[in-house]
Amino acid sequence: MKIGVLALQGAVREHIHQIKSLGCEAIEVKSLNDLSGLNGLVLPGGESTAMRKLLTRFQLLNPIRSLAQLGLPMFGTCAGLILLAKEIVGYDEAHLGLMDVVIERNSFGRQVDSFEVEMSVKHVGDNIPGVFIRAPHIVSVGPGVDVLAEYNGRIVLAKEGQYLGCSFHPELTEDTRLMQYFIEMVRDFNKTSLAKSHSI
């Protein structure tokens, strides 16, 4: 399977490392051509406003939305979650606007307030490490969204259909269970797509 990592800014190398360690092909997505043939896409952490500007500049915003309409699985971590969200507190406009969640940015303090905790994650396991760096949190979710983890009463991980949104940085730890969970989502998507292609 071929999984892309949006490589305009942020923690790209760490995601690539985790994907490869789990036996999948990983490529950096910097241009329209890089989106061709992907089975899944990771939207990494970084600075969401800057990433939005770069998505527009490199003409990737609408092509990624089009792939979402085709059902491509996407995993947003930290700023990537903000890119996925349909609504951002204090902002009039979403970025990709795909996942039915409301996001508040910088919910856990500044860079110097960064911390790491262990959490139980529904469907995944216990003692999952989460690195929080200027992390957002999910204020509310739509009816089709499955909340997978909370920290201090705040939603920090959720899934809706093909989308997985995470407040923290699982790629900055040696624990690959969340990436494995996303890869299973990608496998399920490809089985479904294969079934559809055979039914035509």
Side-chain angles (χ1 to χ4, degrees):
M1 286 195 303
K2 183 176 170 183
I3 297 178
V5 179
L6 186 66
L8 302 178
Q9 193 207 39
V12 176
R13 183 181 56 188
E14 293 84 354
H15 281 294
I16 295 274
H17 173 72
Q18 280 205 352
I19 293 166
K20 287 183 175 177
S21 76
L22 293 169
C24 296
E25 181 183 358
I27 67 157
E28 295 186 359
V29 173
K30 296 180 178 177
S31 69
L32 190 58
N33 289 338
D34 298 327
L35 291 171
S36 178
L38 292 184
N39 301 112
L41 178 64
V42 174
L43 307 169
E47 207 292 308
S48 59
T49 304
M51 290 170 76
R52 165 61 185 270
K53 290 178 180 175
L54 292 169
L55 281 169
T56 302
R57 180 185 304 172
F58 291 100
Q59 300 182 323
L60 289 169
L61 196 67
N62 287 329
I64 290 175
R65 284 180 178 146
S66 296
L67 287 174
Q69 289 174 351
L70 294 173
L72 187 75
M74 297 185 187
F75 182 14
T77 62
C78 198
L81 168 61
I82 298 171
L83 293 179
L84 281 178
K86 282 189 176 175
E87 186 175 342
I88 306 166
V89 174
Y91 290 78
D92 295 330
E93 185 184 4
H95 300 306
L96 290 167
L98 300 171
M99 189 173 178
D100 193 9
V101 296
V102 179
I103 292 293
E104 183 168 348
R105 300 175 67 208
N106 300 328
S107 302
F108 296 93
R110 299 177 298 167
Q111 188 94 8
V112 295
D113 302 313
S114 302
F115 61 95
E116 181 173 347
V117 295
E118 292 188 342
M119 294 170 289
S120 293
V121 175
K122 185 179 173 183
H123 307 311
V124 179
D126 297 323
N127 304 316
I128 304 286
V131 178
F132 288 75
I133 304 171
R134 295 179 61 205
H137 86 283
I138 300 172
V139 177
S140 62
V141 301
V145 179
D146 189 8
V147 174
L148 302 185
E150 297 185 19
Y151 173 69
N152 272 358
R154 295 177 176 181
I155 301 168
V156 294
L157 180 64
K159 177 180 181 291
E160 181 192 18
Q162 81 231 44
Y163 307 122
L164 183 63
C166 181
S167 294
F168 49 92
H169 291 268
E171 79 281 5
L172 297 181
T173 76
E174 295 299 316
D175 194 311
T176 59
R177 285 178 287 176
L178 271 181
M179 184 60 77
Q180 182 67 56
Y181 182 72
F182 176 65
I183 287 172
E184 292 303 320
M185 288 172 56
V186 174
R187 285 202 175 95
D188 289 344
F189 164 75
N190 283 280
K191 286 177 187 172
T192 304
S193 297
L194 189 62
K196 284 180 180 175
S197 68
H198 282 280
S199 67
I200 294 174

